[in-house]
Amino acid sequence: LTATPNFGTRSNQVTKWGRKVVDLVLSNNLFCCNDGSPTRINRGTGGLSTPDVTLASSNLNNKITWSAVDDLGSDHMPIIFQVKNEYTKRHTQTKKRKRWRRNNADWDSFSCQ
């Protein structure tokens, strides 16, 4: 979920969009996985913010690890989260070097959207 810029004001007052997100969380028994780390950088000012919110069912509360990773050139930082359960305990993956295939991307089509 990426909240709109109206999610919260500079004075930390919750706007109508913020109330909608809070209502969604409460009415669906969800929790926010974010750890407080910023998820976006303003390229003009260098300011950090957290418009990207990861929500999950509250029964997964103690089973999720969450992190925003280093910038890859976008104003939004990639978010990595993992759900740990019985399946993932039995099927662990070896740590591989993270790679991104940016060379084959059709950047012209992407930037037109």
Side-chain angles (χ1 to χ4, degrees), residues 18-59:
R19 282 190 291 278
K20 286 185 179 202
V21 172
V22 169
D23 289 345
L24 172 78
V25 169
L26 295 175
S27 64
N28 290 286
N29 201 24
L30 302 174
F31 79 99
C32 180
C33 304
N34 295 48
D35 65 4
S37 300
T39 60
R40 183 181 180 275
I41 184 167
N42 182 313
R43 295 285 179 214
T45 65
L48 299 173
S49 61
T50 311
D52 302 304
V53 180
T54 305
L55 301 175
S57 175
S58 62
N59 66 336

Side-chain angles (χ1 to χ4, degrees), residues 29-110:
N29 201 24
L30 302 174
F31 79 99
C32 180
C33 304
N34 295 48
D35 65 4
S37 300
T39 60
R40 183 181 180 275
I41 184 167
N42 182 313
R43 295 285 179 214
T45 65
L48 299 173
S49 61
T50 311
D52 302 304
V53 180
T54 305
L55 301 175
S57 175
S58 62
N59 66 336
L60 298 173
N61 191 4
N62 295 319
K63 297 177 181 165
I64 292 181
T65 57
W66 184 99
S67 63
V69 296
D70 290 338
D71 172 23
L72 293 176
S74 171
D75 59 336
H76 290 265
M77 298 168 191
I79 295 172
I80 297 175
F81 67 97
Q82 179 180 21
V83 178
K84 296 183 180 185
N85 59 26
E86 292 304 315
Y87 179 82
T88 59
K89 285 180 186 175
R90 290 189 309 268
H91 297 86
T92 58
Q93 294 181 345
T94 59
K95 293 258 182 182
K96 293 182 181 177
R97 191 181 100 213
K98 294 177 185 172
R99 301 180 336 178
W100 304 94
R101 293 184 182 182
R102 295 184 290 184
N103 294 341
N104 295 333
D106 182 358
W107 293 112
D108 291 331
S109 295
F110 178 80

